[in-house]
Amino acid sequence: VGEKSATSMTEETARSALRQLRGCLFSTKHAAAIAAMLGGLLLGAFAASRGEWAGESEAAREDALDCSRSMRESDGFYCVSDAEWEERVSVVRESARAQCGPRLMCCDCAAQARSEFPREWYMECFHPEWSCVSERIGRTGDGGKWLCNVDQIRESARSSQMPCLVYSVGSNGDYSFELDVHKRMPECEIFTFDPTVNVARDPPPPFVTFKPWAISAVDSEHGARVHAKSSVPGAAAYTLQTILRKLGHEGREIDVFKIDVEWAERAIFDKLYEDSFFPFRQIQLELHTPEFNGRIHAQLRRHGFVITHKEPNYLFHWAMHEYAFLRLSLSFFSALVPDPHVSALLEHA
């Protein structure tokens, strides 16, 4: 009401001023033209002020939005209305049972041991359940990954005056992902890890900090092998906690954790789960072993990660699939979307 009253009074004041101008200038030769020009200026100023008020009102409405629930249940990543948030949660809740596939076979360890199961797994099990503004970073085909809400990552880095953090684990000398990250998110620090890359032959871009390290379940200064590839001189293998400590990143969140370690992901995620240590907002993961993939999904769900993207990668092997995950709150599944069938996979080594 206050806004409408202020608008009405300002409009009447402008029109009154226009009538007075016309009266004063009536006897002059160019009165009509001058009055029209000045009247137009007054009404234009009034229209501009109305636009400012509307903008202020819209900003005020955004400030007044109560998004405390979505902020709490997404660890500060989403600020949306309760209605929109409930709709998003409902989608995950309704699809929870379907993630285990027909007859719950994707969450049945005995079924996963069948010889024909691996080919069925990628068609039947664990599909995207959360929508976001997805953007492909890196080239098309092998190497590129899908990220969520890139602009939000950038804005968060700018507002906090703290650079976003990207870990790229496994590069094989291909830096197309890192190049696109830097182009699209110049606010981010980029660290690439691969113990098999000869940097003299395949040097990283100058904005990438490269380490000849593997992520492992144990620390070792004696190198590492990745899918039958030998490590280069000076390579080492460390747990994620050790890497964070060595790089001075303890306590920081890794905004993007891109990992392609050629069949070694099971040991890495088992260690992360054992330590209850998933300091990531997003994970871009290439999976290679269907009979163990369900366990990794269960581990991530236990820590509040939802699936945002899934695609096959048949370039080198039919069993390879790319997944993207986004972390909401640690208690997202236990409190909001119970999925006991998926959780059962954690009972088996």
Side-chain angles (χ1 to χ4, degrees), residues 113-168:
R114 300 200 317 264
S115 60
E116 70 273 16
F117 181 77
R119 293 184 182 273
E120 299 174 8
W121 196 93
Y122 289 114
M123 293 185 63
E124 304 288 1
C125 310
F126 296 101
H127 298 289
E129 60 202 335
W130 191 268
S131 62
C132 62
V133 181
S134 293
E135 185 172 339
R136 191 170 186 86
I137 300 296
R139 66 186 185 186
T140 57
D142 187 50
K145 309 294 177 183
W146 289 92
L147 271 61
C148 260
N149 296 28
V150 169
D151 286 331
Q152 187 171 336
I153 298 173
R154 299 188 62 191
E155 176 57 32
S156 178
R158 288 195 293 261
S159 61
S160 67
Q161 297 186 335
M162 172 68 75
C164 37
L165 188 58
V166 176
Y167 274 21
S168 175

Side-chain angles (χ1 to χ4, degrees), residues 38 56 87 159 168 269 346:
L38 293 176
E56 289 172 2
E87 184 177 5
S159 61
S168 175
F269 280 88
L346 297 173

Side-chain angles (χ1 to χ4, degrees), residues 89-339:
V89 173
S90 295
V91 170
V92 183
R93 189 180 295 124
E94 291 168 8
S95 64
R97 182 181 174 87
Q99 298 291 29
C100 287
R103 304 176 303 282
L104 302 178
M105 66 178 189
C106 309
C107 300
D108 180 349
C109 292
Q112 295 187 48
R114 300 200 317 264
S115 60
E116 70 273 16
F117 181 77
R119 293 184 182 273
E120 299 174 8
W121 196 93
Y122 289 114
M123 293 185 63
E124 304 288 1
C125 310
F126 296 101
H127 298 289
E129 60 202 335
W130 191 268
S131 62
C132 62
V133 181
S134 293
E135 185 172 339
R136 191 170 186 86
I137 300 296
R139 66 186 185 186
T140 57
D142 187 50
K145 309 294 177 183
W146 289 92
L147 271 61
C148 260
N149 296 28
V150 169
D151 286 331
Q152 187 171 336
I153 298 173
R154 299 188 62 191
E155 176 57 32
S156 178
R158 288 195 293 261
S159 61
S160 67
Q161 297 186 335
M162 172 68 75
C164 37
L165 188 58
V166 176
Y167 274 21
S168 175
V169 182
S171 73
N172 197 32
D174 174 11
Y175 304 104
S176 56
F177 175 77
E178 288 85 344
L179 287 165
D180 216 11
V181 166
H182 181 68
K183 178 181 178 181
R184 187 66 180 85
M185 299 185 289
E187 300 84 356
C188 291
E189 297 177 332
I190 306 172
F191 291 78
T192 298
F193 307 89
D194 196 317
T196 69
V197 171
N198 182 340
V199 292
R201 185 185 62 212
D202 298 308
F207 50 80
V208 170
T209 300
F210 183 92
K211 297 295 182 181
W213 301 343
I215 293 184
S216 175
V218 295
D219 291 341
S220 171
E221 300 287 349
H222 303 295
R225 294 178 67 84
V226 178
H227 191 48
K229 292 178 67 176
S230 298
S231 57
V232 297
Y238 300 117
T239 64
L240 181 63
Q241 292 94 323
T242 299
I243 288 175
L244 291 171
R245 185 175 66 253
K246 281 180 168 290
L247 296 177
H249 295 160
E250 288 180 295
R252 286 184 64 180
E253 179 175 80
I254 300 172
D255 295 275
V256 176
F257 184 64
K258 188 273 287 183
I259 175 168
D260 179 2
V261 290
E262 308 299 347
W263 282 268
E265 61 270 12
R266 183 192 181 192
I268 292 172
F269 280 88
D270 276 349
K271 174 61 175 175
L272 294 173
Y273 183 72
E274 176 188 330
D275 296 339
S276 191
F277 189 65
F278 288 86
F280 320 115
R281 176 58 73 175
Q282 297 189 44
I283 300 174
Q284 284 65 41
L285 169 65
E286 185 174 275
L287 289 173
H288 304 82
T289 316
E291 56 266 37
F292 302 128
N293 290 348
R295 179 175 173 80
I296 292 177
H297 277 279
Q299 291 168 340
L300 290 174
R301 290 170 86 79
R302 180 65 64 86
H303 284 266
F305 286 87
V306 289
I307 305 168
T308 62
H309 183 77
K310 172 185 180 180
E311 69 179 21
N313 183 347
Y314 297 149
L315 183 61
F316 300 111
H317 194 278
W318 64 265
M320 293 162 52
H321 258 64
E322 308 280 354
Y323 272 92
F325 302 88
L326 173 70
R327 195 196 79 237
L328 300 177
S329 66
L330 178 63
S331 62
F332 183 82
F333 283 98
S334 60
L336 303 175
V337 187
D339 55 353

